[in-house]
Amino acid sequence: QIDYTGTEPSSPCNKCLNVSWDSTPPCTCTINFTLEHSFESNVFMYYGLSNFYQNHRRYVKSRDDSQLNGDNSSLLNPSKECEPYRTNEDKPIAPCGAIANSMFNDTLELYRIDNDTRTPITLIKKGIAWWTDKNVKFRNPTGDGNNLTALFQGTTKPVNWPKPVYMLDSEPDNNGFINEDFIVWMRTAALPTFRKLYRLIERKNNLQPTLQAGKYSLDIAYNYPVHSFDGRKRMILSTISWMGGKNPFLGIAYITVGSICFFLGVVLLIIHHKYGNRNTSADIPN
């Protein structure tokens, strides 16, 4: 994990700490780090946020699923649940709502350093969203032709976005509402500290590890402000084995709940043996 929030004065990203949503050009910083051990299989690159409550009731409801599913009528007349991010300058916002408006928009690039030469690591941006989200829940509006600019005509971008939704990517199958970065963000997290999949690093062959041990650098286009609510940002590199990924939350939760149930079972057993054999009948006086 690499924390690049920049709250420490010695951090290279400290100069970007008070960045705003519309900073032009974006603030950039570079963090160098070393991998002590090689990553043998496919690597998953995540971004992580702390103290960000995506589970707030009004935040979770602030979206229009019909609009995100490509319904043309909802595109121009979003749900009132999106307020106050429903319209801007008398134009409907697409996508509307607080979730979309707060979409994570830092850009992360990874380089390997070998003899002072920086070699970029190929980061794959497709295949990071759930299949059901990509192919069922999120669809672009329909109409004559496949020109997204024309299909989204009459709408405006979310307030905090630097560009409209039809300019999220140059590839048609990853643009608009079906942009996978956008889809991943729209699946809200249950806890205030969470991570979301950002990119994939695929293993090229079986002879060399995906990421060799050594020196690396992380280039960051710092666009996403978190200092105002005491948030933290981090980049995580993770891999999986035949047992899956390393995520101790479920294991800790199961052990905690199981321990509580066992303790309560012992207490109830003691109470039953101590008081359960008493004669509960009472003499009723004449």
Side-chain angles (χ1 to χ4, degrees), residues 58-191:
R58 289 190 62 189
Y59 183 90
V60 172
K61 293 175 61 179
S62 186
R63 60 188 293 164
D64 187 341
D65 288 320
S66 295
Q67 185 192 61
L68 298 174
N69 196 240
D71 183 72
N72 289 353
S73 60
S74 297
L75 181 68
L76 299 176
N77 186 26
S79 169
K80 293 183 179 179
E81 295 285 0
C82 289
E83 294 288 1
Y85 301 107
R86 181 171 177 264
T87 61
N88 186 29
E89 297 179 352
D90 296 328
K91 286 186 177 183
I93 294 176
C96 71
I99 307 176
N101 187 64
S102 60
M103 178 181 168
F104 182 83
N105 65 339
D106 282 357
T107 301
L108 308 176
E109 295 178 347
L110 192 62
Y111 294 86
R112 174 172 170 78
I113 303 176
D114 191 9
N115 296 327
D116 295 330
T117 301
R118 300 203 328 156
T119 304
I121 304 297
T122 302
L123 304 178
I124 300 174
K125 60 186 175 183
K126 293 183 180 180
I128 61 175
W130 289 22
W131 187 92
T132 51
D133 288 348
K134 175 77 173 180
N135 296 279
V136 179
K137 294 184 178 181
F138 289 80
R139 310 300 302 165
N140 280 324
T142 56
D144 296 333
N146 295 319
N147 188 346
L148 287 183
T149 304
L151 294 175
F152 281 97
Q153 188 175 6
T155 67
T156 186
K157 67 178 181 64
V159 178
N160 288 339
W161 284 26
K163 54 189 175 182
V165 68
Y166 51 82
M167 294 179 62
L168 289 180
D169 200 288
S170 58
E171 300 182 29
D173 61 343
N174 193 43
N175 200 10
F177 290 157
I178 59 173
N179 177 266
E180 296 202 27
D181 285 326
F182 171 67
I183 293 173
V184 168
W185 177 257
M186 293 299 291
R187 181 170 284 277
T188 53
L191 299 173

Side-chain angles (χ1 to χ4, degrees), residues 200-258:
L200 302 174
I201 307 174
E202 290 187 344
R203 187 173 187 176
K204 296 180 180 180
N205 57 64
N206 294 326
L207 300 177
Q208 293 183 348
T210 309
L211 293 179
Q212 298 179 4
K215 295 182 179 180
Y216 290 83
S217 65
L218 177 68
D219 284 9
I220 304 149
Y222 199 114
N223 302 305
Y224 202 72
V226 296
H227 184 56
S228 59
F229 57 88
D230 295 327
R232 307 285 300 186
K233 298 192 292 187
R234 62 194 189 280
M235 183 277 297
I236 303 109
L237 294 176
S238 180
T239 186
I240 58 174
S241 66
W242 64 273
M243 294 184 64
K246 182 180 179 182
N247 188 355
F249 173 76
L250 280 179
I252 294 172
Y254 288 155
I255 291 174
T256 302
V257 174

